[in-house]
Amino acid sequence: MKLCMIGTGYVGLVSGVCFADLGNDVICVDKDFSKISSLKKGRVPIYEPGLSELVIKNYKNKRLRFSTDLKKSIIQSDIIFICVGTPTKKGGSSADLSQIFNVVKEISSSINKFKIIITKSTVPVTTGDEIEKILSKKNKKNKFSVVSNPEFLREGEAIRDFTYPDRIVVGSNEKKSIKIMRNLYSPLISKGAQYVNTSRRAAELIKYASNAFLATKITFINEIANLCEKTGINIEDISIGMGLDKRIGSRFLRAGPAYGGSCFPKDTKAIISTADKFKTNLSVIKSVIKSNENRSKLLLERVYKILNKRLKNKQITFLGVTFKANTDDMRDSSSLIMIPALIKKGAKVNYYDPTGYKKEFSKIKNVKNSATIKESIIGSDLVIIHTEWNDFKSINFKSLARSKKFIIFDMRNIYSAKKIKNQGFKYYSIGR
Ligand code: UDX
């Protein structure tokens, strides 16, 4: 099948490459010339394990092409995936759909034969209806079909999530598109993926409800971790004990810093905004957003306490600054709240991240990027393990301590408290 992916960010590029790998002809199109020209040279602009290799392989065998010519790419394709960003509106909480509608306008004037137009980007309920309305102005109804097919890819695990999805959700009640979509996904269905066909509006809402639920699960365990800290209980025992109940499940019960990333913060806000529009109060999700915002403040309070409220000229190391491991994505990472707050109190911050220098801190005085773990730790008063990269899982702290011993605050519970304490370090973690 001939596919066009509009937008070559995390969603569009990963999905496009994986569809090509399943044997489809895919054009990935983006208005960003520099991105497309580096992709044509086999250089992938984002960090995603395994992605580079797949891009090179499928580009070489010509199943994957890159273009900046949106019109031409649409004309040449049967299935159009819209994969552009839907960030939070500036100064608001609803999703900014301007990129979606700009693309839809272009599609509208390029429908030369029957096409399926799919929203893979996360879009609020009824967006599909609006797209259909726009397309109907210029095109006959039998020339197109608007489908919702949300992505559930986790950054850092995106290729695996695409290849072995828990479920594939397709929102459409048009026979022709349902058949084509099922066919497109048949290689994954035959490997065991659950295929769910719903109404278009339901598919749109499944995405938001799933992300809001996962955000709730994390926030829930983070709050229980607070109680564990006060009662001398190990949060990990709680996560195991709860997770074994099949109705609860063990995943997403790891306590840590505030959740971040490109989805949970924006999608929880956007679903509230949609609910407001339909005069429905999603009070649980509202509390989750508040609790998560409070989480960074709470962890900062712990840092102040650990350093006896004396932060002036204290050297603090951040190991990892992205919102989680195996990604270079800084969007809504809790480090963006915590580092500036610590600097404001007079501390100096060194950070090391396996994905390198981050422009987000370039304008903040007293924040330095180190090239190695060792360099970032030397001379430190407090080492904060902020992300759970494998690189941080077996650090020999003793060999880095030199004359003075630093304190360790392990926000991801990577280490055994007993082992680190036995080496003579003051060690703090989450919920234990
Ligand atoms: C998420 C969804 O999982 C994915 O299905 C969706 O399509 C996009 O958004 P992603 O943002 O890449 O994926 O990361 P995810 O692995 O879900 O983690 C999100 C946040 O939750 C991170 O900040 C992570 O550190 C945190 N988290 C996750 C926890 O704190 N504890 C957990 O147990 C799991």
Side-chain angles (χ1 to χ4, degrees):
M1 278 184 251
K2 287 191 173 3
L3 271 54
C4 170
M5 315 300 294
I6 305 178
T8 54
Y10 286 91
V11 175
L13 186 58
V14 172
S15 309
V17 171
C18 290
F19 276 129
D21 209 53
L22 292 178
N24 300 286
D25 287 323
V26 180
I27 311 177
C28 286
V29 46
D30 203 295
K31 60 181 183 203
D32 185 334
F33 280 85
S34 65
K35 222 185 213 182
I36 292 298
S37 80
S38 22
L39 282 164
K40 282 182 176 170
K41 287 176 201 136
R43 283 202 296 269
V44 176
I46 51 173
Y47 177 87
E48 182 62 45
L51 185 60
S52 241
E53 294 83 338
L54 270 195
V55 166
I56 293 166
K57 174 184 158 198
N58 286 284
Y59 188 60
K60 270 191 187 153
N61 66 25
K62 297 196 167 45
R63 282 206 293 258
L64 182 65
R65 284 181 292 150
F66 297 104
S67 173
T68 50
D69 191 336
L70 182 54
K71 202 173 185 65
K72 199 171 152 197
S73 307
I74 295 168
I75 289 172
Q76 288 175 358
S77 308
D78 309 307
I79 303 180
I80 321 283
F81 280 95
I82 302 177
C83 308
V84 294
T86 53
T88 305
K89 248 187 204 160
K90 278 210 173 93
S93 60
S94 61
D96 175 359
L97 299 177
S98 55
Q99 294 185 61
I100 298 269
F101 291 124
N102 283 340
V103 163
V104 170
K105 265 185 227 153
E106 192 67 52
I107 296 174
S108 185
S109 57
S110 316
I111 297 184
N112 54 331
K113 56 182 174 181
F114 177 76
K115 290 186 197 294
I116 301 185
I117 290 109
I118 302 161
T119 47
K120 208 164 224 343
S121 311
T122 304
V123 292
V125 180
T126 68
T127 303
D129 304 5
E130 283 176 54
I131 295 176
E132 195 172 88
K133 228 188 257 166
I134 296 171
L135 295 178
S136 302
K137 283 186 189 152
K138 275 197 178 170
N139 301 278
K140 285 204 178 113
K141 278 240 159 90
N142 62 355
K143 282 282 184 199
F144 68 90
S145 170
V146 179
V147 171
S148 165
N149 171 219
E151 58 81 20
F152 300 102
L153 311 175
R154 284 165 304 161
E155 287 177 19
E157 315 271 351
I159 290 167
R160 182 155 20 115
D161 284 351
F162 183 95
T163 318
Y164 303 101
D166 286 345
R167 82 297 208 189
I168 296 156
V169 175
V170 171
S172 169
N173 43 24
E174 290 171 33
K175 261 192 185 156
K176 192 172 173 181
S177 339
I178 291 173
K179 201 172 158 199
I180 296 173
M181 291 301 287
R182 210 187 155 90
N183 202 12
L184 176 68
Y185 278 110
S186 60
L188 305 183
I189 299 167
S190 63
K191 275 194 291 179
Q194 295 284 333
Y195 186 84
V196 185
N197 185 199
T198 64
S199 71
R200 191 169 59 210
R201 286 186 180 187
E204 290 168 339
L205 189 54
I206 284 171
K207 173 63 195 266
Y208 279 104
S210 301
N211 274 356
F213 188 81
L214 291 170
T216 305
K217 211 172 169 188
I218 297 164
T219 308
F220 180 89
I221 205 69
N222 282 342
E223 287 198 354
I224 298 293
N226 296 341
L227 179 60
C228 285
E229 280 162 23
K230 299 270 165 65
T231 48
I233 296 169
N234 186 340
I235 185 65
E236 275 153 20
D237 291 342
I238 306 300
S239 297
I240 293 168
M242 281 176 67
L244 285 170
D245 184 331
K246 288 199 176 69
R247 293 168 301 175
I248 298 173
S250 60
R251 294 166 73 189
F252 278 69
L253 282 181
R254 274 178 290 112
Y259 64 73
S262 63
C263 290
F264 290 176
K266 97 174 157 62
D267 293 350
T268 43
K269 279 187 214 146
I271 193 175
I272 296 290
S273 177
T274 301
D276 284 348
K277 199 170 127 192
F278 291 97
K279 300 202 169 22
T280 305
N281 182 15
L282 298 181
S283 63
V284 172
I285 306 174
K286 280 183 191 164
S287 304
V288 166
I289 295 171
K290 249 202 195 133
S291 174
N292 194 59
E293 280 167 2
N294 204 34
R295 181 101 192 123
S296 296
K297 288 183 207 148
L298 211 129
L299 292 190
L300 277 167
E301 285 299 330
R302 279 198 71 196
V303 173
Y304 304 152
K305 218 170 147 192
I306 288 169
L307 291 172
N308 295 322
K309 301 218 153 81
R310 280 194 282 269
L311 272 89
K312 196 142 186 66
N313 292 325
K314 283 276 156 48
Q315 190 67 48
I316 301 177
T317 301
F318 265 70
L319 292 180
V321 286
T322 55
F323 78 98
K324 64 168 189 178
N326 298 323
T327 182
D328 57 353
D329 201 340
M330 285 295 290
R331 281 178 287 179
D332 272 307
S333 172
S334 58
S335 70
L336 293 170
I337 308 256
M338 288 198 275
I339 291 181
L342 294 169
I343 295 291
K344 226 174 161 184
K345 293 264 181 197
K348 294 178 176 163
V349 172
N350 260 2
Y351 72 89
Y352 168 77
D353 193 280
T355 59
Y357 169 81
K358 301 293 168 202
K359 64 177 186 323
E360 285 78 0
F361 299 120
S362 61
K363 292 207 174 90
I364 309 177
K365 228 176 123 186
N366 291 333
V367 179
K368 218 182 95 199
N369 171 231
S370 298
T372 61
I373 296 176
K374 188 174 173 185
E375 190 188 307
S376 75
I377 287 182
I378 284 173
S380 193
D381 296 291
L382 172 68
V383 174
I384 294 178
I385 304 175
H386 177 263
T387 38
E388 68 282 28
W389 283 88
N390 280 341
D391 312 44
F392 306 149
K393 288 185 179 160
S394 44
I395 300 173
N396 184 346
F397 289 110
K398 233 176 169 178
S399 73
L400 298 173
R402 302 262 168 100
S403 52
K404 99 175 172 194
K405 281 233 164 98
F406 41 79
I407 303 168
I408 299 167
F409 186 7
D410 178 1
M411 292 189 180
R412 297 285 179 173
N413 290 354
I414 289 178
Y415 289 93
S416 135
K418 208 171 155 195
K419 268 193 196 158
I420 298 282
K421 280 181 186 161
N422 282 347
Q423 288 174 32
F425 289 95
K426 271 196 179 161
Y427 175 85
Y428 299 87
S429 55
I430 301 283
R432 47 182 209 176

Short mmCIF file of all heavy atoms in Angstrom, two decimals, residues 64-98:
data_model
loop_
_atom_site.label_atom_id
_atom_site.label_comp_id
_atom_site.label_asym_id
_atom_site.label_seq_id
_atom_site.Cartn_x
_atom_site.Cartn_y
_atom_site.Cartn_z
N LEU A 64 11.10 3.38 1.65
CA LEU A 64 10.92 4.59 2.46
C LEU A 64 11.51 5.78 1.70
O LEU A 64 12.64 5.72 1.22
CB LEU A 64 11.68 4.40 3.79
CG LEU A 64 11.61 5.51 4.80
CD1 LEU A 64 10.19 5.69 5.32
CD2 LEU A 64 12.54 5.19 5.98
N ARG A 65 10.68 6.83 1.56
CA ARG A 65 11.19 8.04 0.91
C ARG A 65 10.91 9.24 1.81
O ARG A 65 10.04 9.18 2.68
CB ARG A 65 10.48 8.24 -0.44
CG ARG A 65 11.02 7.30 -1.52
CD ARG A 65 10.32 7.54 -2.84
NE ARG A 65 8.93 7.15 -2.78
CZ ARG A 65 7.97 7.73 -3.51
NH1 ARG A 65 8.24 8.76 -4.29
NH2 ARG A 65 6.72 7.29 -3.43
N PHE A 66 11.66 10.30 1.56
CA PHE A 66 11.46 11.52 2.35
C PHE A 66 11.21 12.69 1.41
O PHE A 66 11.80 12.75 0.33
CB PHE A 66 12.70 11.81 3.21
CG PHE A 66 12.96 10.74 4.22
CD1 PHE A 66 13.98 9.82 4.02
CD2 PHE A 66 12.16 10.62 5.34
CE1 PHE A 66 14.21 8.82 4.94
CE2 PHE A 66 12.38 9.62 6.27
CZ PHE A 66 13.41 8.71 6.07
N SER A 67 10.33 13.59 1.82
CA SER A 67 10.00 14.70 0.93
C SER A 67 9.53 15.91 1.74
O SER A 67 9.06 15.78 2.87
CB SER A 67 8.89 14.26 -0.02
OG SER A 67 8.43 15.34 -0.77
N THR A 68 9.66 17.09 1.12
CA THR A 68 9.08 18.30 1.73
C THR A 68 7.87 18.74 0.90
O THR A 68 7.22 19.72 1.23
CB THR A 68 10.11 19.46 1.76
OG1 THR A 68 10.68 19.60 0.47
CG2 THR A 68 11.19 19.22 2.79
N ASP A 69 7.60 18.01 -0.17
CA ASP A 69 6.51 18.38 -1.07
C ASP A 69 5.21 17.68 -0.63
O ASP A 69 4.93 16.54 -1.01
CB ASP A 69 6.88 17.98 -2.51
CG ASP A 69 5.90 18.57 -3.52
OD1 ASP A 69 4.75 18.87 -3.12
OD2 ASP A 69 6.29 18.72 -4.69
N LEU A 70 4.44 18.41 0.18
CA LEU A 70 3.25 17.82 0.78
C LEU A 70 2.21 17.43 -0.28
O LEU A 70 1.70 16.30 -0.29
CB LEU A 70 2.65 18.81 1.79
CG LEU A 70 1.43 18.38 2.58
CD1 LEU A 70 1.67 17.07 3.30
CD2 LEU A 70 1.04 19.45 3.59
N LYS A 71 1.96 18.37 -1.20
CA LYS A 71 0.92 18.13 -2.21
C LYS A 71 1.22 16.86 -3.03
O LYS A 71 0.37 15.97 -3.16
CB LYS A 71 0.84 19.36 -3.13
CG LYS A 71 -0.48 19.48 -3.83
CD LYS A 71 -0.54 20.80 -4.59
CE LYS A 71 -1.91 20.98 -5.20
NZ LYS A 71 -2.98 21.13 -4.22
N LYS A 72 2.44 16.81 -3.53
CA LYS A 72 2.84 15.69 -4.38
C LYS A 72 2.76 14.36 -3.59
O LYS A 72 2.28 13.35 -4.10
CB LYS A 72 4.28 15.93 -4.87
CG LYS A 72 4.66 15.12 -6.07
CD LYS A 72 6.00 15.61 -6.59
CE LYS A 72 6.73 14.48 -7.29
NZ LYS A 72 8.14 14.79 -7.44
N SER A 73 3.18 14.41 -2.35
CA SER A 73 3.19 13.20 -1.52
C SER A 73 1.76 12.70 -1.29
O SER A 73 1.50 11.50 -1.31
CB SER A 73 3.85 13.46 -0.17
OG SER A 73 5.12 14.02 -0.36
N ILE A 74 0.84 13.65 -1.08
CA ILE A 74 -0.56 13.26 -0.84
C ILE A 74 -1.14 12.63 -2.12
O ILE A 74 -1.77 11.57 -2.07
CB ILE A 74 -1.42 14.48 -0.41
CG1 ILE A 74 -0.95 15.00 0.94
CG2 ILE A 74 -2.90 14.13 -0.37
CD1 ILE A 74 -1.51 16.36 1.33
N ILE A 75 -0.89 13.29 -3.24
CA ILE A 75 -1.43 12.80 -4.52
C ILE A 75 -0.97 11.37 -4.80
O ILE A 75 -1.74 10.53 -5.27
CB ILE A 75 -1.04 13.78 -5.67
CG1 ILE A 75 -1.86 15.06 -5.50
CG2 ILE A 75 -1.26 13.17 -7.06
CD1 ILE A 75 -1.49 16.20 -6.42
N GLN A 76 0.30 11.09 -4.46
CA GLN A 76 0.85 9.76 -4.76
C GLN A 76 0.39 8.65 -3.80
O GLN A 76 0.69 7.49 -4.02
CB GLN A 76 2.39 9.83 -4.69
CG GLN A 76 3.00 10.59 -5.85
CD GLN A 76 4.50 10.74 -5.68
OE1 GLN A 76 5.08 10.31 -4.68
NE2 GLN A 76 5.14 11.36 -6.65
N SER A 77 -0.33 9.02 -2.74
CA SER A 77 -0.62 8.01 -1.70
C SER A 77 -2.10 7.66 -1.60
O SER A 77 -2.97 8.44 -2.00
CB SER A 77 -0.15 8.53 -0.34
OG SER A 77 1.18 8.95 -0.42
N ASP A 78 -2.36 6.45 -1.02
CA ASP A 78 -3.75 6.02 -0.79
C ASP A 78 -4.16 6.26 0.66
O ASP A 78 -5.33 6.47 0.96
CB ASP A 78 -3.89 4.50 -1.06
CG ASP A 78 -3.32 4.13 -2.41
OD1 ASP A 78 -3.74 4.75 -3.39
OD2 ASP A 78 -2.43 3.24 -2.46
N ILE A 79 -3.19 6.16 1.54
CA ILE A 79 -3.49 6.30 2.97
C ILE A 79 -2.62 7.43 3.52
O ILE A 79 -1.40 7.40 3.38
CB ILE A 79 -3.17 4.99 3.72
CG1 ILE A 79 -3.97 3.83 3.09
CG2 ILE A 79 -3.46 5.11 5.19
CD1 ILE A 79 -3.73 2.49 3.76
N ILE A 80 -3.28 8.42 4.12
CA ILE A 80 -2.55 9.58 4.64
C ILE A 80 -2.64 9.57 6.16
O ILE A 80 -3.73 9.65 6.71
CB ILE A 80 -3.18 10.91 4.15
CG1 ILE A 80 -3.67 10.84 2.70
CG2 ILE A 80 -2.28 12.11 4.43
CD1 ILE A 80 -2.64 10.92 1.67
N PHE A 81 -1.50 9.49 6.82
CA PHE A 81 -1.48 9.58 8.28
C PHE A 81 -1.09 10.99 8.70
O PHE A 81 -0.02 11.48 8.29
CB PHE A 81 -0.43 8.62 8.85
CG PHE A 81 -0.88 7.19 8.92
CD1 PHE A 81 -0.59 6.30 7.90
CD2 PHE A 81 -1.59 6.73 10.02
CE1 PHE A 81 -0.99 4.98 7.97
CE2 PHE A 81 -1.99 5.40 10.10
CZ PHE A 81 -1.70 4.52 9.08
N ILE A 82 -1.93 11.62 9.49
CA ILE A 82 -1.57 12.95 10.01
C ILE A 82 -0.85 12.74 11.35
O ILE A 82 -1.42 12.19 12.29
CB ILE A 82 -2.82 13.84 10.21
CG1 ILE A 82 -3.56 13.98 8.87
CG2 ILE A 82 -2.42 15.20 10.75
CD1 ILE A 82 -4.87 14.78 8.97
N CYS A 83 0.42 13.13 11.38
CA CYS A 83 1.25 12.87 12.57
C CYS A 83 1.90 14.15 13.07
O CYS A 83 3.02 14.13 13.58
CB CYS A 83 2.33 11.85 12.25
SG CYS A 83 1.75 10.35 11.48
N VAL A 84 1.23 15.28 12.89
CA VAL A 84 1.83 16.55 13.33
C VAL A 84 1.53 16.77 14.81
O VAL A 84 0.69 16.08 15.39
CB VAL A 84 1.31 17.73 12.48
CG1 VAL A 84 1.77 17.61 11.05
CG2 VAL A 84 -0.22 17.82 12.54
N GLY A 85 2.18 17.75 15.40
CA GLY A 85 2.04 17.99 16.84
C GLY A 85 0.70 18.60 17.21
O GLY A 85 0.09 19.34 16.43
N THR A 86 0.24 18.25 18.41
CA THR A 86 -0.97 18.88 18.97
C THR A 86 -0.62 19.38 20.38
O THR A 86 -1.15 18.87 21.37
CB THR A 86 -2.15 17.89 19.02
OG1 THR A 86 -1.73 16.69 19.71
CG2 THR A 86 -2.63 17.51 17.65
N PRO A 87 0.29 20.35 20.45
CA PRO A 87 0.73 20.81 21.78
C PRO A 87 -0.37 21.56 22.53
O PRO A 87 -1.42 21.85 21.95
CB PRO A 87 1.89 21.78 21.44
CG PRO A 87 1.58 22.28 20.07
CD PRO A 87 0.88 21.15 19.36
N THR A 88 -0.11 21.88 23.78
CA THR A 88 -1.08 22.68 24.54
C THR A 88 -1.08 24.10 23.97
O THR A 88 -0.02 24.64 23.67
CB THR A 88 -0.67 22.71 26.03
OG1 THR A 88 -0.54 21.35 26.47
CG2 THR A 88 -1.69 23.42 26.88
N LYS A 89 -2.27 24.66 23.83
CA LYS A 89 -2.39 26.04 23.32
C LYS A 89 -1.65 26.99 24.25
O LYS A 89 -1.72 26.85 25.48
CB LYS A 89 -3.88 26.43 23.31
CG LYS A 89 -4.43 26.60 21.93
CD LYS A 89 -5.83 27.15 22.00
CE LYS A 89 -6.55 26.74 20.74
NZ LYS A 89 -8.00 26.80 20.87
N LYS A 90 -0.96 27.96 23.65
CA LYS A 90 -0.23 28.94 24.48
C LYS A 90 -1.20 29.66 25.42
O LYS A 90 -2.23 30.17 24.98
CB LYS A 90 0.48 29.96 23.59
CG LYS A 90 1.80 29.43 23.08
CD LYS A 90 2.83 30.54 22.85
CE LYS A 90 4.14 29.88 22.51
NZ LYS A 90 4.35 29.71 21.08
N GLY A 91 -0.88 29.67 26.70
CA GLY A 91 -1.73 30.37 27.66
C GLY A 91 -3.03 29.66 27.96
O GLY A 91 -3.90 30.20 28.63
N GLY A 92 -3.22 28.44 27.46
CA GLY A 92 -4.47 27.72 27.72
C GLY A 92 -4.20 26.29 28.12
O GLY A 92 -3.09 25.93 28.53
N SER A 93 -5.23 25.44 28.03
CA SER A 93 -5.02 24.04 28.38
C SER A 93 -5.53 23.10 27.30
O SER A 93 -5.26 21.90 27.33
CB SER A 93 -5.69 23.73 29.72
OG SER A 93 -7.07 23.98 29.61
N SER A 94 -6.26 23.64 26.32
CA SER A 94 -6.76 22.76 25.25
C SER A 94 -5.66 22.49 24.23
O SER A 94 -4.61 23.14 24.25
CB SER A 94 -7.97 23.39 24.58
OG SER A 94 -7.60 24.62 24.00
N ALA A 95 -5.90 21.52 23.35
CA ALA A 95 -4.90 21.17 22.34
C ALA A 95 -4.93 22.19 21.20
O ALA A 95 -6.00 22.57 20.74
CB ALA A 95 -5.17 19.77 21.82
N ASP A 96 -3.75 22.60 20.77
CA ASP A 96 -3.64 23.51 19.64
C ASP A 96 -3.68 22.68 18.36
O ASP A 96 -2.74 21.94 18.07
CB ASP A 96 -2.32 24.29 19.77
CG ASP A 96 -2.05 25.18 18.57
OD1 ASP A 96 -2.88 25.18 17.64
OD2 ASP A 96 -1.02 25.88 18.58
N LEU A 97 -4.77 22.82 17.61
CA LEU A 97 -4.96 21.96 16.44
C LEU A 97 -4.60 22.68 15.13
O LEU A 97 -4.94 22.21 14.05
CB LEU A 97 -6.41 21.47 16.38
CG LEU A 97 -6.85 20.64 17.59
CD1 LEU A 97 -8.32 20.26 17.47
CD2 LEU A 97 -6.00 19.38 17.72
N SER A 98 -3.88 23.81 15.24
CA SER A 98 -3.61 24.58 14.02
C SER A 98 -2.80 23.78 13.00
O SER A 98 -3.07 23.85 11.80
CB SER A 98 -2.91 25.90 14.37
OG SER A 98 -1.76 25.64 15.11
#
